Amino acid sequence: MSIAAILLLSAGTFFFATGVIGFLRFPDFYSRMHATGKGDTLGAVLMLAGLALYNLDGGFSLGNLLVSMKLLFIGVFWFLANPTATHAILRAAFDSGLMPWTKDGKPVIEWPPKSQEDT
Amino acid sequence: MESFFLAIGLILGLLILLSLYRGVFGPTLFDRIIGVGFVGSKTLVLLVLMGFMYGRIDMFVDISLAYSILIFIGTLVFAKYFKSKGAM
């Protein structure tokens, strides 16, 4: 059981590390969001699953089971909450006029759409 | 196993320091919000690791559960506030 925990914990740390590297190196806010949104969520979920498994090492008493279920619940909640938060931040950034970075500097799409004002 | 948790905790601490760099020098405002969110999610896992190290896991699980909800709500509030402000 603790072997699986060690594997999951190291995998989670690996995804956290890639998320940080992407967060520091990418040129533009939107490309940084790729790294943080995904690496962050997966890293946390893997590590919490690994810790839940490790917690079951000490026997299947009710207390251990409850704590493991809570750990898994945090993982599931974080798996749902983090993409939502990332989407909210992205929407706020886009609405406040932050255009994605392009090599030739021309904006990707023209916003707000001038022709037909549909929202 | 305890030293393994300590090693993982130290690595997470280093990652937090690295992501704080973008939180401080982030060119745009939204990078700073993401930097804070990034630090928060690592602290979430660090809390549970500390719970295992101190042996009081049932207390720290509740703390990290509340903390994860707080990070989520905090990021949403930041997004809603800075959407109208439009601070570049």
Side-chain angles (χ1 to χ4, degrees):
Chain A
M1 193 72 83
S2 68
I3 303 297
I6 289 178
L7 281 179
L8 279 173
L9 273 171
S10 40
T13 316
F14 168 71
F15 281 112
F16 268 142
T18 47
V20 166
I21 292 170
F23 186 47
L24 293 180
R25 279 187 59 82
F26 280 149
D28 166 57
F29 166 71
Y30 292 103
S31 49
R32 265 177 229 128
M33 290 302 297
H34 283 295
T36 53
K38 292 194 281 284
D40 205 7
T41 318
L42 188 57
V45 167
L46 281 181
M47 291 192 90
L48 288 171
L51 288 169
L53 267 182
Y54 171 71
N55 188 31
L56 288 182
D57 238 2
F60 282 88
S61 72
L62 188 59
N64 276 354
L65 220 54
L66 184 62
V67 169
S68 287
M69 290 319 290
K70 274 189 206 172
L71 277 170
L72 286 182
F73 174 71
I74 298 176
V76 168
F77 172 74
W78 194 246
F79 199 74
L80 298 175
N82 205 13
T84 318
T86 310
H87 174 72
I89 288 281
L90 266 171
R91 190 63 198 180
F94 193 73
D95 281 353
S96 78
L98 188 65
M99 271 301 137
W101 178 79
T102 51
K103 197 178 286 294
D104 47 19
K106 286 200 302 296
V108 175
I109 61 171
E110 34 97 10
W111 188 268
K114 274 181 280 304
S115 53
Q116 11 86 15
E117 278 297 331
D118 56 347
T119 56
Chain B
M1 202 55 180
E2 295 307 322
S3 59
F4 179 64
F5 283 156
L6 194 60
I8 294 284
L10 286 178
I11 293 174
L12 280 185
L14 176 68
L15 292 181
I16 283 178
L17 282 181
L18 280 178
S19 64
L20 268 185
Y21 163 76
R22 189 62 78 182
V24 171
F25 296 108
T28 62
L29 164 75
F30 294 99
D31 290 327
R32 292 195 172 88
I33 300 177
I34 292 306
V36 167
F38 217 43
V39 167
S41 82
K42 282 184 197 37
T43 323
L44 174 74
V45 180
L46 209 57
L47 266 174
V48 179
L49 278 175
M50 274 166 49
F52 274 114
M53 276 189 249
Y54 287 157
R56 272 197 184 70
I57 187 58
D58 42 8
M59 184 174 79
F60 275 84
V61 160
D62 300 337
I63 295 176
S64 63
L65 180 65
Y67 191 64
S68 69
I69 298 174
L70 275 179
I71 301 171
F72 173 51
I73 299 296
T75 311
L76 288 186
V77 166
F78 272 138
K80 192 162 179 48
Y81 179 70
F82 286 113
K83 180 174 182 180
S84 60
K85 291 282 284 182
M88 274 305 290

